[in-house]
């Protein structure tokens, strides 16, 4: 082994001196790299002497020998620390760029494969919708995650599963917004209060900041183990922390650990990680995510209008499914039924500004849009006032209004159960039918 390496060094020295000698004789580049002929000792010594007279050649030669000595020193130290077989393997091994620890192992996971099949078949439209919606929200969402070095494909995958990029998405359990925050979790991460007509969870920028902070908190516990971060996100951080401790922080894919998770969480992990794989490399899965100009423009309403009326005006201009969802996402603080007063600010996709300036001034088209909007969202209060009479109870009042329950009236007026005390002469808010 040592003899072979010594011969190799001598060959390299001889080859280098041949090059230097050739350079002194003004050989061409092609000649310098051609197969060298065997050189005698006299020729080598002569070559060294000539090189010593040339400052550039001498510096190059010195650098070469210095590097060679350093390499020999490193090899000697490794030889002391490692068995010869391991050292040979290390020296002979080619440099390999590390692969993401998510890709190959995940593609071999049958749960991830099954989830990929869903995304690439019946859930493909939701994947594309998420991407398209995101292009117009990116300026509001991306900075919060970029600041914490959270991969774009990861939070996009969460959005795809949680909301499909629909800002006003809600679940029956009370989770809301792009990232489906529950009220208590949102409050813990500063997503609180109301912005315009809505809870702050529906505001893209606020929700993104909260979600990024949540992921960072879990990453501090589990490092870059995205499966565990997702398990905490779905099952609840306290519940998952107990499970992780119970299973001694082993891999979540271990059967005993994995099947100890809620069934919904088991599915959630695979679904989000498979979506991340697609967003990382859509071409590999035969998915096309088109480049979309997500820039926006601010316009002012020229008459009283609404988002639904503008959606009728914009029609399917450059978008086969229309613009209603994009308009709602961009104006997240405005309810769909809200009448937007003349001269109020509206955010629209930049490419629609010429349409707004022309088609949306068509009185016949906008008259139709207003008529059908008013039919869907009649302009009347959502509640009425009722003056309590002697002998009234919430039960009799709810029966009188038919469409309101005793509990609904109590909640609207902050009347406490179970007695539901009311006083004659006071006024109650009662929901309208």
């Amino acid at each position: 082994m040592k003899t072979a390496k010594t011969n190799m060094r001598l060959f390299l020295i001889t080859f280098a001196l041949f090059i230097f000698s050739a350079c002194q004789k003004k050989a061409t580049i092609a000649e310098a790299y051609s197969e060298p002929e065997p050189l005698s000792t006299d020729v080598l010594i002569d070559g060294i002497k000539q090189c010593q007279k040339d400052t550039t050649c001498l510096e190059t030669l010195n650098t070469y020998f210095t590097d060679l000595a350093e390499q020999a020193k490193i090899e000697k130290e490794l030889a002391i620390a490692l068995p010869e077989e391991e050292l040979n393997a290390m020296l002979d091994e080619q440099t390999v760029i590390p692969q993401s620890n998510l890709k190959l192992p995940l593609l071999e996971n049958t749960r991830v494969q099954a989830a990929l099949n869903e995304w690439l078949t019946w859930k493909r439209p939701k994947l594309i919708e998420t991407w398209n919606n995101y292009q117009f929200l990116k300026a509001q969402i991306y900075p919060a995650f970029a600041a914490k070095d959270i991969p774009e494909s990861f939070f996009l995958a969460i959005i795809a599963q949680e909301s499909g990029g629909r800002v006003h998405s809600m679940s029956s359990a009370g989770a809301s917004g792009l990232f489906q925050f529950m009220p208590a979790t949102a409050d813990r991460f500063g997503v609180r209060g109301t912005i315009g007509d809505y809870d702050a969870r529906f505001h893209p920028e606020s929700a993104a900041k909260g979600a990024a902070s949540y992921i960072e908190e879990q990453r501090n516990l589990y490092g870059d183990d995205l499966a565990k971060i997702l398990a905490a996100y779905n099952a609840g951080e306290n519940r998952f922390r107990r499970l992780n401790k119970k299973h001694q922080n082993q891999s979540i894919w271990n059967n005993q650990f994995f099947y100890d998770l809620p069934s919904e969480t088991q599915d959630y992990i695979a679904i989000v990680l498979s979506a991340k794989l697609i967003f990382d490399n859509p071409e590999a899965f035969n998915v096309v995510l088109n480049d979309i100009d997500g820039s926006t423009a601010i316009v002012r309403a020229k008459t009283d209008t609404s988002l639904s009326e503008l959606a009728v005006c914009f029609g399917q201009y450059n978008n086969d499914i229309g613009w209603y969802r994009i308009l709602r996402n961009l104006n997240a603080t405005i309810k769909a039924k809200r009448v937007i007063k003349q001269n109020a600010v509206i955010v629209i996709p930049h490419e629609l500004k010429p349409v707004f300036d022309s088609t949306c001034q068509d009185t016949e088209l906008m008259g139709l849009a207003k008529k059908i909007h008013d039919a869907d969202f009649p302009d009347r209060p959502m509640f009425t006032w009722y003056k309590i009479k002697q002998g009234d109870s919430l039960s009799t009042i709810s029966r009188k209004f038919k469409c309101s329950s005793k509990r609904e009236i109590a909640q609207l007026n902050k009347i406490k159960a179970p007695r539901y005390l009311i006083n004659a002469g006071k006024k109650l808010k009662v929901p309208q039918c």
Side-chain angles (χ1 to χ4, degrees):
M1 174 68 181
K2 291 181 179 178
T3 302
K5 288 185 177 178
T6 301
N7 291 338
M8 176 59 72
R9 292 195 188 97
L10 287 175
F11 172 78
L12 290 172
I13 294 169
T14 303
F15 183 71
L17 289 174
F18 171 77
I19 299 255
F20 296 141
S21 178
C23 286
Q24 296 301 313
K25 296 175 183 178
K26 299 182 179 179
T28 64
I29 292 176
E31 289 172 338
Y33 282 88
S34 63
E35 187 68 25
E37 296 179 4
L39 298 176
S40 67
T41 303
D42 292 338
V43 173
L44 285 172
I45 293 173
D46 184 57
I48 292 174
K49 288 180 178 179
Q50 291 185 47
C51 187
Q52 288 175 333
K53 296 175 183 179
D54 186 311
T55 304
T56 302
C57 181
L58 184 60
E59 288 178 357
T60 304
L61 187 62
N62 286 337
T63 301
Y64 176 78
F65 282 123
T66 300
D67 291 345
L68 200 62
E70 184 65 26
Q71 181 182 348
K73 180 181 176 183
I74 292 171
E75 288 180 8
K76 183 178 179 180
E77 291 173 352
L78 286 172
I80 294 172
L82 297 172
E84 186 169 337
E85 293 78 8
E86 292 183 34
L87 177 61
N88 291 342
M90 181 180 291
L91 292 173
D92 294 337
E93 186 177 48
Q94 292 183 346
T95 302
V96 178
I97 298 174
Q99 295 292 322
S100 166
N101 62 357
L102 284 174
K103 294 192 175 179
L104 291 178
L106 283 181
L107 284 175
E108 294 171 0
N109 185 305
T110 54
R111 285 183 171 272
V112 173
Q113 291 170 3
L116 277 169
N117 184 62
E118 291 185 5
W119 283 120
L120 299 176
T121 54
W122 63 275
K123 285 177 70 174
R124 185 184 288 253
K126 187 177 182 181
L127 196 76
I128 305 304
E129 180 186 19
T130 300
W131 174 257
N132 292 345
N133 287 338
Y134 173 64
Q135 302 313 297
F136 294 94
L137 295 172
K138 186 172 182 177
Q140 298 181 62
I141 296 173
Y142 180 76
F145 294 97
K148 301 181 186 300
D149 198 27
I150 297 171
E152 185 177 40
S153 59
F154 183 53
F155 69 78
L156 259 177
I158 293 175
I159 292 174
Q161 176 58 19
E162 295 287 2
S163 64
R166 297 184 173 209
V167 166
H168 300 96
S169 180
M170 296 179 64
S171 77
S172 57
S176 299
L178 283 174
F179 298 94
Q180 290 294 278
F181 269 133
M182 293 296 286
T185 306
D187 185 69
R188 187 160 71 88
F189 288 96
V191 187
R192 57 175 72 100
T194 58
I195 302 176
D197 291 333
Y198 284 103
D199 183 318
R201 290 176 293 166
F202 295 106
H203 189 265
E205 186 175 356
S206 297
K209 288 178 180 177
S213 295
Y214 186 99
I215 292 171
E216 183 181 45
E217 178 188 82
Q218 298 310 305
R219 187 170 58 185
N220 290 336
L221 295 174
Y222 309 114
D224 289 328
D225 191 335
L226 300 186
K228 288 190 175 182
I229 292 173
L230 290 172
Y233 194 96
N234 182 260
E237 62 274 12
N238 294 330
R239 181 180 187 181
F240 180 71
R241 189 181 295 117
R242 290 192 295 270
L243 284 172
N244 189 59
K245 183 177 180 180
K246 173 184 174 182
H247 292 280
Q248 300 178 343
N249 199 33
Q250 61 183 297
S251 169
I252 203 170
W253 299 108
N254 178 286
N255 281 343
Q256 288 186 333
F257 192 170
F258 192 79
Y259 289 114
D260 213 3
L261 297 170
S263 57
E264 178 190 342
T265 303
Q266 295 172 21
D267 293 336
Y268 183 82
I269 293 169
I271 288 170
V272 174
L273 289 181
S274 61
K276 182 186 185 305
L277 288 176
I278 296 172
F279 284 123
D280 273 330
N281 190 7
E283 295 82 3
F285 299 96
N286 199 26
V287 172
V288 178
L289 301 177
N290 291 319
D291 291 331
I292 296 175
D293 178 8
S295 60
T296 59
I298 294 176
V299 297
R300 291 189 177 275
K302 298 189 177 178
T303 60
D304 288 0
T305 188
S306 64
L307 296 178
S308 64
E309 290 168 56
L310 290 176
V312 173
C313 161
F314 295 140
Q316 292 168 259
Y317 180 84
N318 286 349
N319 189 345
D320 289 343
I321 63 171
W323 292 98
Y324 181 66
R325 178 56 50 192
I326 301 296
L327 287 173
R328 291 219 62 203
N329 283 354
L330 289 177
N331 299 274
T333 63
I334 302 175
K335 285 190 175 181
K337 68 179 182 180
R338 173 76 60 203
V339 174
I340 301 172
K341 295 297 183 180
Q342 183 178 8
N343 210 40
V345 168
I346 308 169
V347 183
I348 64 173
H350 188 271
E351 64 182 299
L352 295 181
K353 192 172 185 309
V355 183
F356 177 81
D357 291 336
S358 57
T359 307
C360 294
Q361 311 314 314
D362 182 328
T363 54
E364 184 175 352
L365 176 62
M366 296 311 291
L368 172 64
K370 183 179 186 306
K371 186 175 183 179
I372 58 181
H373 168 268
D374 290 347
D376 195 20
F377 303 109
D379 185 17
R380 59 179 172 81
M382 298 179 68
F383 61 86
T384 188
W385 291 98
Y386 174 76
K387 188 174 182 178
I388 302 170
K389 298 175 183 177
Q390 195 70 34
D392 276 341
S393 68
L394 287 190
S395 295
T396 60
I397 294 171
S398 65
R399 286 196 294 271
K400 184 178 295 185
F401 283 87
K402 296 181 180 179
C403 62
S404 302
S405 69
K406 175 175 71 174
R407 185 170 298 175
E408 188 178 9
I409 296 174
Q411 289 176 342
L412 189 60
N413 293 274
K414 298 181 180 179
I415 300 172
K416 295 182 179 180
R419 299 183 66 187
Y420 297 116
L421 293 177
I422 57 176
N423 298 314
K426 298 289 186 181
K427 287 187 177 182
L428 288 177
K429 283 182 179 180
V430 182
Q432 289 257 56
C433 294

